[in-house]
Amino acid sequence: MSPCREQTRRRPVAEPLITLRDVSRWYRRGVDVVHALEHVSLAIEGGVFAALMGPSGSGKSTLLNLLSGIDRPSAGEVWVAGRRLNDLSEDELAHWRSRHVGLIFQSYNLIPVLSAQENVELPLLLTAFGRGERTRRAATALRVVDLAPRARHVPSELSGGEQQRVAIARAIVADPDLIIADEPTGDLDARSADEVLAILRDLSRELAKTVVMVTHDPRARRWVDVVFHLDKGVLLGTEGNDALARAPAHGGVT
Amino acid sequence: MKFLPLILRNLARNKLRTALTGGAIGLAVLLVCFFLTMPAGIDVFLSQIASNVRISVHHKGGLVYQMPFAYVNKIRAVPGVVGADGVTWFGGAFEEEGHVTFPSFAIEPEHVAAVWPDYRIDQIALERFRSHRDGAIVGRQTMEKYGWRVGQEVTLRSTVWPVALTFRIVGEIPNARAPLFWFQREYLAQAMRARGVSLDIVGIVWVRVADPALVDGVMARFDAMFRNSAAETSAETEKSFFTSFFGSLQGFVTIILLVTGLVALCVLCIAANTASMAVRERAREIAILRAIGFGRRLIFTTLVAESTILATLAGGSGALLTYAFTAAVKTTTGGWNTELGPLSGFLVSPGIVAQGVGLAVVVGLVAGIAPAYGAARKPVATTLREIF
């Protein structure tokens, strides 16, 4: 049984963790106006592992930036974890992200001068935790991704798969509601990619984290609960459990 | 403080660049501190050599003009005056050393002890000076410079008077900072009389008064005495006199301070360039930090702190090196360098160290502000779009 089908037994919670209502995002590039997203509405329940799929330029990363509070919509509403992100300033969004979002990037993007342990501790520097607590939590996060023995190694001493697992540990160390992954397997071989996808699935299944991932990798379908297909800034439809990815209260899946 | 390890790791990222930038800042601060000792050195030098009860009286038109010698006795008669000595510039050139000149004056030997008691000239030497018409007492610095000894004969050709006189050194002025050469006024007067010229003029009258509180009143009295005469006078304290006398050094000091400012500006540009390069190279990392929740203010602060910490550490090292260097120079030269003269004070005061470190802090802050602001200002989504 695929992980996707296995998840269908889970009961959806009453309030979606993520709700987008008629969201559009356009920006200027020189004299042109680029319409990156147009009238997208969707809702994702808490604890779901979702994938955004589509060709290059389809608006996946733009949608990911909106969900993670990195960017704000040109029109429409973005609600995440009960908060309307449209209203938040750049600094308020940064603070909100530090509490609610864990980010994983394609190229790992660890700080090269810090050890794995110190990289994982970075989001905790934004909290009130003392040094001891930060160290303990980072060690726990590294154990979750099975990298505790490599805690003192700097990124250049780790393989690509290990670096991405450190990035996952960094994303989860502050116990966020939402984990955002932008092509987390893009730079990995098949075996490392499966390891990373398995970790993300486990985070969703066992720790009830909501994971939203952009991917081009068709194998990812096996691991996720739901897939959103985008093209040319438009949400074409969903694949998987409709109950986990349903239409928002005032609008439908476009 | 919890961000300090991150800041320090970033500083250690490119050790060569950090070392070179820190070295440039440290060297600049060293130079600045070193230069700043010079004005302070002059001031202290003037305080050391200038008595607060000694007054110079000279022609109002300047030192090149002479006053009647009769003024000296009138000045001595003013209440509060302990002693007065008429001094005439001889401008002697020592031909054996290629016509070098040093301050040589014809003075009245019987008044030396009253006017310059702080010079602590040996009483026996003073007695010999008074009793030998061709006697001269010479500053220790000049004695050492030319290898002269008491009892030696020295011939100086005047650049002012048409005479060359041979002197017998009868004593030493035990002051390493006084390159003086004093001889009897009467010796010069005799030589001039032999040429049919009466020496009835004087260049400066040095006066010592009994009490510092009397100085202002006595100076006013002198100037009032000779007002509306053919040779009006200008009286000033010894410190004021030497300050004017070393006016050319003040100009030199101004140039030094100007160069100091330019050095500071150069190092500021170097530090700013380094900070810009560091921020540009780490644009991706900064974008990631901002994405995971580091606010604009925090990014700005850590980047400025980075350049400020580097500059402060380097500047502090530079200031301490200045202290060590000047202490070494003072030890080896005894605090006086003949070539540098009053500029060789090398007094690294806590104020100068503070100015050096302060300069480094400002360099660090200013150098870091522009790139840090650039990194923090741009919306994180825009930065990520540009980078990824």
Side-chain angles (χ1 to χ4, degrees):
Chain A
M1 182 182 290
S2 79
C4 189
R5 262 176 262 130
E6 209 174 308
Q7 285 291 329
T8 58
R9 286 198 292 271
R10 190 188 291 171
R11 277 167 55 108
V13 292
E15 192 67 26
L17 185 85
I18 298 168
T19 304
L20 269 66
R21 292 198 183 102
D22 200 22
V23 167
S24 295
R25 180 69 175 106
W26 58 83
Y27 50 86
R28 289 199 169 275
R29 184 177 288 163
V31 293
D32 300 325
V33 177
V34 178
H35 293 265
L37 274 184
E38 292 191 84
H39 306 292
V40 171
S41 294
L42 59 82
I44 301 175
E45 302 295 344
V48 167
F49 187 6
L52 305 178
M53 299 187 83
S56 294
S58 59
K60 306 184 298 293
S61 294
T62 303
L63 181 54
L64 213 58
N65 285 346
L66 292 171
L67 296 179
S68 58
I70 285 174
D71 202 0
R72 277 168 291 192
S74 306
E77 288 184 331
V78 178
W79 289 79
V80 180
R83 191 76 194 245
R84 187 174 186 268
L85 303 188
N86 304 51
D87 304 328
L88 302 182
S89 69
E90 182 89 5
D91 289 331
E92 287 169 334
L93 279 173
H95 184 257
W96 179 85
R97 284 196 302 275
S98 71
R99 295 285 180 274
H100 297 280
V101 182
L103 286 161
I104 302 163
F105 300 91
Q106 178 178 352
S107 303
Y108 331 130
N109 287 303
L110 302 175
I111 307 298
V113 291
L114 300 181
S115 68
Q117 169 90 18
E118 290 164 333
N119 266 287
V120 174
E121 275 189 48
L122 276 175
L124 298 178
L125 293 177
L126 304 171
T127 67
F129 293 134
R131 188 176 177 184
E133 182 63 13
R134 292 199 303 269
T135 304
R136 192 184 66 75
R137 285 176 180 253
T140 303
L142 280 171
R143 273 200 301 278
V144 168
V145 296
D146 201 22
L147 268 182
R150 310 283 276 165
R152 292 184 181 279
H153 291 253
V154 292
S156 61
E157 296 168 344
L158 301 172
S159 70
E162 287 173 328
Q163 287 188 54
Q164 195 59 300
R165 278 149 62 195
V166 173
I168 292 171
R170 184 178 67 186
I172 63 173
V173 73
D175 194 24
D177 307 305
L178 174 62
I179 294 169
I180 297 286
D182 192 355
E183 302 198 42
T185 59
D187 285 356
L188 301 178
D189 59 42
R191 183 178 168 188
S192 297
D194 280 347
E195 285 174 2
V196 165
L197 290 169
I199 292 170
L200 293 176
R201 183 201 57 191
D202 291 346
L203 290 173
S204 164
R205 185 184 292 178
E206 293 169 19
L207 299 178
K209 300 293 177 194
T210 304
V211 181
V212 181
M213 169 180 71
V214 160
T215 184
H216 283 106
D217 188 351
R219 291 173 307 174
R221 280 198 178 90
R222 291 193 302 119
W223 300 91
V224 301
D225 301 315
V226 62
V227 178
F228 294 91
H229 290 281
L230 290 107
D231 193 17
K232 294 177 182 167
V234 174
L235 182 59
L236 299 177
T238 61
E239 177 186 350
N241 189 341
D242 287 344
L244 299 174
R246 57 190 168 89
H250 305 289
V253 174
T254 310
Chain B
M1 284 300 288
K2 60 186 174 183
F3 296 100
L4 191 61
L6 177 64
I7 292 167
L8 295 180
R9 291 292 180 83
N10 279 327
L11 277 175
R13 177 185 295 251
N14 190 330
K15 291 184 178 64
L16 179 62
R17 185 168 64 197
T18 300
L20 289 174
T21 308
I25 295 170
L27 190 61
V29 169
L30 186 148
L31 281 173
V32 167
C33 288
F34 186 69
F35 287 154
L36 286 176
T37 64
M38 293 182 169
I42 288 181
D43 203 45
V44 171
F45 168 76
L46 291 175
S47 300
Q48 285 176 348
I49 64 165
S51 164
N52 60 348
V53 288
R54 203 153 39 231
I55 296 167
S56 100
V57 183
H58 53 81
H59 196 287
K60 194 176 180 181
L63 293 174
V64 294
Y65 298 100
Q66 305 291 309
M67 302 176 293
F69 186 65
Y71 279 17
V72 181
N73 277 332
K74 290 181 180 175
I75 286 170
R76 280 192 192 112
V78 171
V81 170
V82 174
D85 200 322
V87 175
T88 302
W89 177 255
F90 182 65
F94 185 40
E95 295 181 322
E96 288 177 33
E97 289 282 342
H99 292 277
V100 293
T101 60
F102 35 79
S104 52
F105 299 97
I107 66 169
E108 301 168 278
E110 59 274 22
H111 297 288
V112 169
V115 178
W116 291 282
D118 49 315
Y119 279 23
R120 295 188 182 83
I121 301 169
D122 182 55
Q123 285 300 320
I124 298 169
L126 276 179
E127 183 52 40
R128 280 201 299 262
F129 186 37
R130 279 193 286 267
S131 58
H132 289 75
R133 182 58 43 85
D134 62 346
I137 52 176
V138 185
R140 180 175 293 164
Q141 181 191 334
T142 307
M143 294 279 275
E144 289 174 354
K145 186 173 181 179
Y146 300 113
W148 293 342
R149 290 180 306 281
V150 171
Q152 186 171 344
E153 286 193 347
V154 174
T155 299
L156 300 182
R157 178 173 295 282
S158 176
T159 56
V160 179
W161 311 94
V163 291
L165 299 177
T166 298
F167 305 98
R168 179 180 302 279
I169 298 173
V170 295
E172 180 186 86
I173 302 170
N175 183 343
R177 300 186 182 186
L180 296 169
F181 187 105
W182 283 345
F183 63 92
Q184 284 201 16
R185 174 184 173 82
E186 187 53 30
Y187 190 36
L188 176 61
Q190 281 183 359
M192 293 308 297
R193 274 200 295 274
R195 285 162 178 76
V197 178
S198 173
L199 185 67
D200 54 0
I201 54 174
V202 68
I204 303 171
V205 182
W206 282 106
V207 180
R208 192 166 74 87
V209 296
D211 192 299
L214 298 174
V215 166
D216 289 340
V218 168
M219 288 198 303
R221 180 84 183 270
F222 291 156
D223 291 344
M225 272 168 52
F226 305 115
R227 189 164 297 137
N228 299 321
S229 69
E232 292 192 359
T233 61
S234 172
E236 57 185 330
T237 61
E238 187 171 38
K239 184 170 184 180
S240 168
F241 174 81
F242 281 125
T243 302
S244 306
F245 190 75
F246 290 120
S248 57
L249 283 181
Q250 296 290 354
F252 183 58
V253 166
T254 304
I255 291 171
I256 283 175
L257 293 177
L258 192 65
V259 171
T260 303
L262 290 174
V263 168
L265 194 62
C266 287
V267 80
L268 175 65
C269 293
I270 292 170
N273 182 48
T274 305
S276 296
M277 284 168 62
V279 168
R280 204 163 43 244
E281 285 173 8
R282 278 155 41 204
R284 176 184 285 260
E285 289 170 33
I286 292 166
I288 296 303
L289 288 175
R290 292 194 60 195
I292 65 176
F294 281 60
R296 287 185 294 191
R297 195 175 298 169
L298 181 56
I299 291 289
F300 177 84
T301 306
T302 52
L303 290 174
V304 171
E306 203 176 300
S307 64
T308 306
I309 286 172
L310 171 61
T312 305
L313 288 176
S317 305
L320 289 176
L321 274 176
T322 315
Y323 186 80
F325 176 66
T326 52
V329 170
K330 280 177 83 169
T331 303
T332 52
T333 64
W336 181 259
N337 179 287
T338 307
E339 278 69 36
L340 287 173
L343 291 176
S344 56
F346 300 137
L347 295 164
V348 184
S349 63
I352 286 176
V353 172
Q355 284 181 61
V357 175
L359 170 69
V361 172
V362 170
V363 164
L365 280 171
V366 174
I369 281 174
Y373 178 73
R377 176 180 55 97
K378 206 179 275 187
V380 62
T382 309
T383 313
L384 287 172
R385 254 201 307 274
E386 287 172 358
I387 292 170
F388 295 107

